[in-house]
Amino acid sequence: MFRLKQKHSQPSKKKYPKPDVKRILAEESLLRGILGSVAVAALLCWIWAVQAMTTGRVFPWLSILMGVLIGLAMQRFGRGLDWRFPLIASVVAGVAAYAGNLMIGVLETGRYIEARPLQVIAGLSMDTMRYFFRNTISVIDHIYAFCSAGVAAFFSIRRLNRREVLALRAVKKARN
């Protein structure tokens, strides 16, 4: 009611180059996205396990941070625009959340029985894994893994500016 009259800015006179739609679509690489996100997941699982062993505490919220970084890795390396990229990022993040917990268990077991981590991993069986998921993984771990997968899916899609989105939309409309 008592607002002052707003002066709107004039449209920009600067001419921007047209986005290269073929280049945008050619930059997509599912293989690079998978390799990059799996490498980041493995590194983060190891960092999480080492952090848990040095501090003596397990921070389950680190799995959500892993999901963010895995999603960003998928976005950076995969540069994808379709549904495959968030799906794969969410699967990698969910598996990484459980793998991080397993890595912590392997390191703790190795410390307890005075064995190397590879010896403990070599001794894993289906019965051991069943026991691990039944008695070590809790409902909270499942919730954090689900949140990690969701965050990874959110961050995995390539972000485009307005001109690129409009150019892709125009190309898709011309194809139909």
Side-chain angles (χ1 to χ4, degrees):
M1 183 164 142
F2 295 107
R3 250 191 269 166
L4 296 175
K5 187 176 180 184
Q6 243 181 353
K7 292 185 178 180
H8 297 285
S9 62
Q10 297 296 322
S12 176
K13 306 256 190 245
K14 186 175 180 182
K15 295 292 181 185
Y16 293 101
K18 291 181 93 176
D20 188 9
V21 176
K22 290 180 184 177
R23 181 189 54 83
I24 292 171
L25 294 175
E27 287 177 347
E28 283 187 329
S29 174
L30 192 60
L31 179 64
R32 279 187 317 203
I34 291 171
L35 292 177
S37 61
V38 168
V40 167
L43 177 68
L44 292 173
C45 285
W46 181 254
I47 290 171
W48 187 19
V50 169
Q51 174 273 329
M53 290 297 103
T54 57
T55 62
R57 298 185 63 187
V58 177
F59 298 113
W61 53 266
L62 283 177
S63 62
I64 294 177
L65 179 64
M66 286 173 48
V68 169
L69 295 175
I70 289 168
L72 290 173
M74 178 63 81
Q75 180 188 93
R76 173 77 173 119
F77 295 115
R79 303 189 58 82
L81 299 169
D82 61 353
W83 59 270
R84 299 174 297 167
F85 294 90
L87 177 69
I88 292 173
S90 65
V91 168
V92 169
V95 169
Y98 293 118
N101 284 319
L102 181 64
M103 185 72 70
I104 293 168
V106 163
L107 291 179
E108 186 65 35
T109 302
R111 183 191 307 179
Y112 182 73
I113 64 172
E114 297 177 1
R116 293 186 181 147
L118 290 177
Q119 291 173 329
V120 176
I121 290 172
L124 291 177
S125 65
M126 286 305 291
D127 189 45
T128 309
M129 294 303 291
R130 205 173 310 118
Y131 179 80
F132 173 75
F133 275 99
R134 186 179 306 135
N135 296 325
T136 304
I137 300 295
S138 66
V139 173
I140 298 299
D141 294 316
H142 293 302
I143 292 170
Y144 276 108
F146 183 75
C147 291
S148 175
V151 167
F154 177 77
F155 282 108
S156 65
I157 294 286
R158 179 180 179 181
R159 304 295 187 242
L160 300 174
N161 62 31
R162 181 179 177 87
R163 290 178 287 115
E164 292 171 338
V165 169
L166 293 174
L168 278 171
R169 192 177 297 159
V171 167
K172 286 181 183 177
K173 188 175 180 182
R175 286 183 185 167
N176 291 336

